[in-house]
């Protein structure tokens, strides 16, 4: 089923038992902390409602598909119980077939049900949490899309940029310097004009995902297999998804005319980062559905095995390896939000693993990818236990590790020294680890002492009842473990 709005998707996720509604959570602490805890336990999506001081039905949905392959697959209409690597394979297959599709305009949509302008414009009508306890403000935009039109080419761009409430009619935006969105805004500023903008606070998950693509609406259409329906936003005429929940329209004046101190904000590498004067959106018009659902996608410490963009990144790296002549790749995955990339392959010749290592760093430039590991094809790269075991038993650290120097990193990299930042040196080393059995004597490498897949299958069939009982016991234990997480997680972070 194709989703036209975030609420369509929430309903579909609810039908497979993947949504938990939470009433009465406090915006200062509960929403952020519960989102973090639910995510750490690979829990369901959370739909927060009934905030004190806000109308019932003004909701926030968090953990839409973060850390849940089931919900990620559901969003993309793929089999929900796929193995991670099968999901990457399915996405690669889809990518080969899909064609960009421009959006289609429709005249009306539920987002136009409520219109606020003039003195009625008040962004504080909507709940905005303090997502992390030391954030510099309340971020209403974390799972948002800022829609802009390039004044020279007419290109419609959108991307996710964090948006902090700075008053009834003002938000600050952090649009990083080299982003296309920033370049568009600066084109207006160069003409001495403010940039018209529409900030969408909740739309269908596939259009949201397309915010990080190059082709935006056309990519969303390709992923949907049908054009995205858009309508002209009432004030700016910018095309917004017809299924949007809330849309703030207005203008972004030149930063030297108006700015606001933005941040710090708990960012995705797991640290508070960036604070300083940033541009603002002067909000002049609000459209919203009845009972609007704001998409909350706060960054969380990436202790989790994967982040929202990970399967897409695995697809890109895998395609790149094949295009570059690295054959026999059997899987690609990333851990810690992709900061560690793992490639599995069947070794065919000496230097095959090194070739994969060297080639991969050509594709993953411009991010904090500190570690790249190549493993044999008996290892599931998406299984961290397998990867750790391989690192500990197949690697001679003196011989199998190489360092690539001066690779581009991100300004969110906590390991960039103050001196590097001051000098504008955004580079970091990268560790390349060949964790495969040494090619020359791989056939005589000691045998692994676990049962084969065929043997496991047989035993699973014979003992399915017992194994189900064990599984239920483990799940039950996991649940009670998670209940005691708040204190322990807090302690861990502070140490
Ligand atoms: C959940 C999420 C939050 C993001 N937050 C920001 C942000 O605050 N600032 C920013 O510049 N980019 C942020 N990004 C990355 C941009 O949205 C992404 O790079 C996008 O491709 C930018 O598009 P553009 O190059 O067309 O401007 C975020 C991405 C996601 C998925």
């Amino acid at each position: 089923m194709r989703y036209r709005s975030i609420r369509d998707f929430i309903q579909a996720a609810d039908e497979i038992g993947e949504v938990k509604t939470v009433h009465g959570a406090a915006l200062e602490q509960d929403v952020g902390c519960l989102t973090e805890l639910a995510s750490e336990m690979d829990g369901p999506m959370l739909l927060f409602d009934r905030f004190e001081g806000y109308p019932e039905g003004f909701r926030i949905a968090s953990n839409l598909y973060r850390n849940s392959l089931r919900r990620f697959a559901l969003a993309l209409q793929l089999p929900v119980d796929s193995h991670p690597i099968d999901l990457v394979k399915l996405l690669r297959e889809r990518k080969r077939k899909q064609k960009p599709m421009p959006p289609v305009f429709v005249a009306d949509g539920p987002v136009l049900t409520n219109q606020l302008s003039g003195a009625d414009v008040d962004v504080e009508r909507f709940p905005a949490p303090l997502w992390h306890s030391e954030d510099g403000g309340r971020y209403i935009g974390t799972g948002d899309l800022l829609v802009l039109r390039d004044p020279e080419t007419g290109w419609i761009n959108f991307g996710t940029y964090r948006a902090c409430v700075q008053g009834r009619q003002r938000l600050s935006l952090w649009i990083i310097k080299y982003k296309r969105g920033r370049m568009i805004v600066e084109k207006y500023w160069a003409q001495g004009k403010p940039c018209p903008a529409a900030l969408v606070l909740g739309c269908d998950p596939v259009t949201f995902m397309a915010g990080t693509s190059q082709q935006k609406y056309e990519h969303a259409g390709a992923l949907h297999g049908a054009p995205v329906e858009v309508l002209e936003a009432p004030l700016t005429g910018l095309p917004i998804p017809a299924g949007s929940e809330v849309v703030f329209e207005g203008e972004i004046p030149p930063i030297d005319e108006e700015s606001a101190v933005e941040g710090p904000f708990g960012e995705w590498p797991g640290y508070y980062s960036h604070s300083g004067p940033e541009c603002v959106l002067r909000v002049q018009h609000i459209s919203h559905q009845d009972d609007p659902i704001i998409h909350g996608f706060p960054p969380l410490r990436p202790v989790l095995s994967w982040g929202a963009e990970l399967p897409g990144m695995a697809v890109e790296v895998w395609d790149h390896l094949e295009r570059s002549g690295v054959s026999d790749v059997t899987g690609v995955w990333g851990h810690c939000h992709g900061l560690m990339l793992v490639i599995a392959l069947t070794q065919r010749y000496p230097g095959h693993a090194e070739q994969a290592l060297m080639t991969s760093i050509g594709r993953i430039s411009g991010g904090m990818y500190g570690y790249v590991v190549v493993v044999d094809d008996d290892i599931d790269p998406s299984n961290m236990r397998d990867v750790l075991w391989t690192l500990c038993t197949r690697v001679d650290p003196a011989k199998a590790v190489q360092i690539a120097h001066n690779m581009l990193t991100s300004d969110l990299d906590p390991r960039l020294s103050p001196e590097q930042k001051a000098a504008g040196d955004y580079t970091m080393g990268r560790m390349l680890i060949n964790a495969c059995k040494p090619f020359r004597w791989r056939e005589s490498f000691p045998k692994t002492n676990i049962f084969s897949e065929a043997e496991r299958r047989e035993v699973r069939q014979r003992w399915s009842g017992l194994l189900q009982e064990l599984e239920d016991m483990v799940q039950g234990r996991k649940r009670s473990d998670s209940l005691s997480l708040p204190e322990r997680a807090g302690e861990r972070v502070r140490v």
Side-chain angles (χ1 to χ4, degrees), residues 65-66 139 141-145 148 155 157-163 173-184 208-214 216 262 265 267-268 295 297-299 308-309 337 412:
Y65 52 79
R66 189 209 325 260
Y139 282 76
T142 51
D144 59 24
L145 288 180
L148 305 170
W155 165 256
N157 204 67
F158 58 79
T160 303
Y161 317 103
R162 69 195 203 200
L173 298 168
W174 189 44
I175 316 178
I176 302 173
K177 203 93 191 108
Y178 54 84
K179 305 276 170 168
R180 197 146 39 133
R182 178 67 179 222
M183 290 190 257
I184 291 174
F208 175 72
M209 284 178 201
T212 52
S213 73
Q214 286 296 308
K216 314 293 182 182
E262 194 277 346
F265 186 58
E267 269 298 348
W268 68 266
H295 180 195
F297 200 140
E309 305 81 24
H337 212 317
L412 290 177

Side-chain angles (χ1 to χ4, degrees), residues 29-313:
Q29 189 178 48
D30 297 346
V31 175
C33 194
L34 287 170
T35 297
E36 181 177 299
L37 293 171
S39 194
E40 282 185 9
M41 62 177 85
D42 297 346
M45 177 196 310
L46 298 180
L47 184 61
F48 295 98
D49 195 0
R50 299 189 196 164
F51 295 106
E52 201 184 322
Y54 295 85
E56 181 172 346
F58 276 46
R59 290 162 289 173
I60 297 174
S62 72
N63 294 343
L64 213 61
Y65 52 79
R66 189 209 325 260
N67 220 45
S68 161
L69 272 190
R70 296 190 87 218
R71 299 197 295 278
F72 180 80
L74 184 73
L76 288 163
Q77 298 154 75
L78 293 168
V80 289
D81 288 316
S82 307
H83 183 280
I85 302 302
D86 289 337
L87 201 66
V88 176
K89 287 180 185 163
L90 288 168
L91 283 170
R92 293 187 72 210
E93 218 175 282
R94 181 183 283 188
K95 189 179 156 200
R96 274 194 288 274
K97 291 184 201 142
Q98 75 193 16
K99 297 206 167 41
M101 285 189 203
V104 289
F105 279 85
V106 295
D108 204 0
V111 66
L112 301 180
T113 311
N114 303 283
Q115 306 271 332
L116 303 168
S117 52
D120 290 338
V121 171
D122 181 2
V123 300
E124 293 175 4
R125 284 171 183 252
F126 301 89
L130 190 72
W131 286 108
H132 319 89
S133 51
E134 292 183 33
D135 284 350
R138 292 187 183 221
Y139 282 76
I140 196 159
T142 51
D144 59 24
L145 288 180
L146 185 76
V147 184
L148 305 170
R149 177 181 278 115
D150 188 312
E152 290 167 4
T153 63
W155 165 256
I156 296 297
N157 204 67
F158 58 79
T160 303
Y161 317 103
R162 69 195 203 200
C164 183
V165 176
Q166 299 278 357
R168 292 177 78 239
Q169 303 191 339
R170 208 161 80 123
L171 303 174
S172 54
L173 298 168
W174 189 44
I175 316 178
I176 302 173
K177 203 93 191 108
Y178 54 84
K179 305 276 170 168
R180 197 146 39 133
R182 178 67 179 222
M183 290 190 257
I184 291 174
V185 173
E186 285 178 359
K187 285 186 188 179
Y188 286 90
W189 294 351
Q191 296 172 9
K193 294 183 189 157
C195 171
L199 188 73
V200 175
L201 297 176
C203 64
D204 71 87
V206 169
T207 305
F208 175 72
M209 284 178 201
T212 52
S213 73
Q214 286 296 308
Q215 296 164 307
K216 314 293 182 182
Y217 276 126
E218 298 195 357
H219 184 63
L223 286 175
H224 271 302
V228 179
E229 290 172 358
V230 294
L231 52 81
E232 283 187 8
L235 178 74
T236 55
L238 287 161
I240 51 167
S244 301
E245 295 285 332
V246 179
V247 179
F248 293 164
E249 288 178 87
E251 56 184 30
I252 307 172
I255 196 163
D256 49 11
E257 186 183 313
E258 187 175 344
S259 65
V261 174
E262 194 277 346
F265 186 58
E267 269 298 348
W268 68 266
Y271 300 88
Y272 288 99
S273 60
H274 181 76
S275 180
E278 290 296 335
C279 62
V280 298
L281 174 65
R282 290 179 186 147
V283 183
Q284 296 157 334
H285 189 92
I286 297 178
S287 313
H288 71 90
Q289 296 205 27
D290 286 338
D291 301 334
I293 305 175
I294 291 174
H295 180 195
F297 200 140
L300 297 178
R301 193 167 60 112
V303 288
L304 316 162
S305 58
W306 67 287
E309 305 81 24
L310 198 54
M313 181 187 127

